[in-house]
Amino acid sequence: MPILAPIGRSTIAFFTVIGRVALFTLLSVSHCVRPPIFPRQIGRQMLEIGFYSLPVVGLTAIFTGMVLALQSFTGFSRFSAESAIPNIVVVSITRELGPVLAGLMVAGRVSAAIAAEIGTMRVTEQIDALTTLSTNPHKYLIAPRLIAGLLMLPLLVLVADIIGVLGGYLVSIFTLGFNPATYLKNTWDFMQPIDVISGLVKAAVFGFLLTLMGCYHGYNSRGGAQGVGQATTNAVVSASVLIFLSNYIVTTLFFAE
Amino acid sequence: MTSAAGYSVPKIQIRELRKAFGPKQVLDGVDLEIAAGESLVIIGGSGTGKSVLIKNIIGLIRPDSGSIMIDGRETTTMGAADREDIMHKFGMLFQGGALFDSLPVWQNVAFGLIQVQRMARAAARSRAIEILAQVGLPAEVADLSPAELSGGMQKRVSLARSIATQPEIMFFDEPTTGLDPIMGSVIDALIVKSVRELGATALSITHDMASARRIADHIAMIHGGKIVWSGPVSEIDHCDNPYVDQFINGRAEGPIQMQVKR
């Protein structure tokens, strides 16, 4: 069966990868909740993942908010529905664009950095060295990053929400001629807690997934500089795809009738 | 270590150890015994499974079959908690040093003291500086990052890290590879001194014969996944084993053929 064999092979390979990732995830999560924990490592990663991502997330958010106001104005003015712009901006930013764009930007920044760092540690035997020093690499390297990702992404997205809405506000006031007080009032009145909460839940999921992908690909990298490069690419690509996939799933869970 | 029956139990005892990667049988029935306090050096060409053997003993790789006993306890079937106990007895010097480049030198040396023995950081730091002095490094290197050190210095720091927790069994993976001959013999002397001071059992792998003669009490030669010769270091020049003869004289012709693939 020369046609069926490759299909079978790739199917098996696909499920092997799924199984490996699942086992890796279970093992890592179990180390997140069992002592000893490494608070110093968690703090360091929170700084690295959260604080140092602020500029890139802030810039992404402000321009997204600005362009959102501008584009919806072009569309909505045809129906004289300009007053819906504050609503559009705040719902789009908090529900979708804040978490997804922040997640993608942090995936590019953090998943890549994690994969490169852990991958280099793997190929230079630093991970083996950890084991010989009676320190479990899952506990010392991976658990702190997962915890930091899970905690910091919601905070980052909260900041992105505020800056994104601010971006929309600035464009609406200074180029589209909205009344500042009315705009703010509309924004505030239209915003529902569930919009923000669902966005923050997404952020936590993305934070977990993007650090997980960085760790998984870094931990399993092989074969020197080229292997580490490959791991970095795979980490960013798989993290981005998983962000879109989980975004759909979480949206369905929150908002599907 | 002496058992109730009165005979001495080897520190490390390996029986019929086998490990294959895909179609390649790297270890094909290795038998080895190391007495407590002995320094054994395993020699052999590149790609003959020396590193794989050491990684099996430490537990970084799981063997396909065979037995590894440490202090009379079987380690291949051990659970995670027992394995961690055994790991406390080990110290290892990696070929490339394997220093944690995200940590300064002193935190590398004190890693086991801080993370495992839960020593206070200030105390661990002064202990680390003492250990650095033992390997001939001044206190000034303590705050440098590993990347700022030369290869020989990195090896010394790595040695300091592996002796810091006072292990019972030391592993040395090609300790002199990549060093100039003088630094190589300095590292060898430090290894001999540290092992003696700790009273540790030592297992080294190398293809550097000069280094092997300096470190070893006993030498074993591995070829084709098996131990082809073992004996005291004094006998290596008089044994009529063709593999050993070819290896220590570095001849291109002989029973050992160069392998292209690992």
Side-chain angles (χ1 to χ4, degrees), chain A residues 29-220:
Chain A
V29 169
S30 81
H31 280 289
C32 289
V33 295
R34 273 184 299 159
I37 56 163
F38 293 96
R40 194 176 281 268
Q41 294 300 314
I42 297 175
R44 187 174 176 161
Q45 292 306 324
M46 285 171 82
L47 197 66
E48 191 60 48
I49 296 170
F51 185 70
Y52 291 121
S53 298
L54 273 174
V56 61
V57 167
L59 282 171
T60 311
I62 195 154
F63 288 120
T64 308
M66 285 163 73
V67 83
L68 194 59
L70 213 53
Q71 292 283 34
S72 15
F73 184 81
T74 337
F76 280 59
S77 58
R78 290 179 203 160
F79 313 103
S80 309
E82 296 93 337
S83 60
I85 286 177
N87 182 16
I88 294 293
V89 169
V90 75
V91 169
S92 315
I93 292 280
T94 53
R95 278 194 183 191
E96 278 300 323
L97 295 173
V100 171
L101 292 179
L104 290 176
M105 295 309 285
V106 178
R109 219 191 136 258
V110 170
S111 303
I114 291 177
E117 185 178 357
I118 296 186
T120 307
M121 291 187 74
R122 164 61 75 197
V123 300
T124 56
E125 296 187 307
Q126 291 180 51
I127 291 182
D128 289 346
L130 268 181
T131 311
T132 63
L133 291 164
S134 304
T135 304
N136 189 308
H138 279 271
K139 212 177 261 313
Y140 183 80
L141 289 177
I142 294 168
R145 286 170 168 80
L146 293 180
I147 294 170
L150 193 69
L151 296 179
M152 293 318 286
L153 255 280
L155 287 178
L156 277 172
V157 166
L158 203 58
V159 173
D161 286 353
I162 295 166
I163 295 180
V165 171
L166 173 75
Y169 170 85
L170 291 176
V171 166
S172 304
I173 303 308
F174 292 109
T175 56
L176 306 177
F178 276 72
N179 176 300
T182 323
Y183 188 95
L184 284 181
K185 185 175 185 311
N186 278 348
T187 299
W188 196 249
D189 288 348
F190 278 125
M191 191 178 66
Q192 301 286 320
I194 189 72
D195 297 333
V196 179
I197 291 168
S198 70
L200 297 185
V201 170
K202 283 179 180 179
V205 173
F206 299 164
F208 178 79
L209 289 174
L210 67 90
T211 43
L212 181 74
M213 284 300 108
C215 293
Y216 173 79
H217 289 288
Y219 194 81
N220 292 302

Side-chain angles (χ1 to χ4, degrees), chain B residues 39-105:
Chain B
S39 174
L40 178 81
V41 172
I42 299 175
I43 56 171
S46 309
T48 48
K50 303 190 297 289
S51 289
V52 175
L53 175 59
I54 259 191
K55 286 185 173 166
N56 270 291
I57 301 173
I58 299 176
L60 294 171
I61 297 178
R62 227 171 240 285
D64 296 335
S65 68
S67 140
I68 300 169
M69 313 258 273
I70 310 253
D71 284 332
R73 289 175 70 198
E74 179 62 50
T75 64
T76 49
T77 51
M78 233 172 215
D82 286 338
R83 154 111 15 232
E84 215 154 282
D85 270 355
I86 291 277
M87 204 62 101
H88 288 305
K89 299 182 180 200
F90 293 161
M92 171 140 181
L93 176 64
F94 285 87
Q95 190 175 344
L99 293 171
F100 305 128
D101 40 30
S102 59
L103 299 175
V105 164

Side-chain angles (χ1 to χ4, degrees), chain B residues 109-149:
Chain B
V109 176
F111 193 90
L113 304 175
I114 295 173
Q115 306 297 357
V116 182
Q117 299 182 1
R118 303 272 149 202
M119 193 185 266
R121 292 175 76 81
R125 190 190 148 90
S126 50
R127 182 80 191 103
I129 290 173
E130 283 171 37
I131 301 167
L132 283 171
Q134 284 176 32
V135 297
L137 290 176
E140 291 86 74
V141 301
D143 292 307
L144 298 179
S145 114
E148 296 175 80
L149 304 179

Side-chain angles (χ1 to χ4, degrees), chain B residues 191-235:
Chain B
I191 286 175
V192 171
K193 170 173 160 269
S194 324
V195 169
R196 198 168 293 148
E197 278 168 7
L198 290 170
T201 308
L203 175 60
S204 319
I205 55 180
T206 188
H207 49 233
D208 174 357
M209 274 315 296
S211 166
R213 287 175 205 272
R214 286 191 289 259
I215 304 175
D217 302 326
H218 278 75
I219 290 185
M221 171 144 183
I222 188 167
H223 180 73
K226 287 191 176 71
I227 302 293
V228 292
W229 182 83
S230 75
V233 64
S234 54
E235 284 176 19

Side-chain angles (χ1 to χ4, degrees), chain B residues 1 4 8 18-20 28 44 66 73 107 110 139 146 154-155 160 176 194 208 237 241-242 248 250 257:
Chain B
M1 192 176 183
S8 112
R18 283 169 210 282
K19 177 73 193 176
D28 193 12
R73 289 175 70 198
Q107 285 189 34
Q154 287 186 0
K155 273 269 161 73
T176 57
S194 324
D208 174 357
D237 293 312
N241 185 299
I248 64 177
Q257 296 300 314

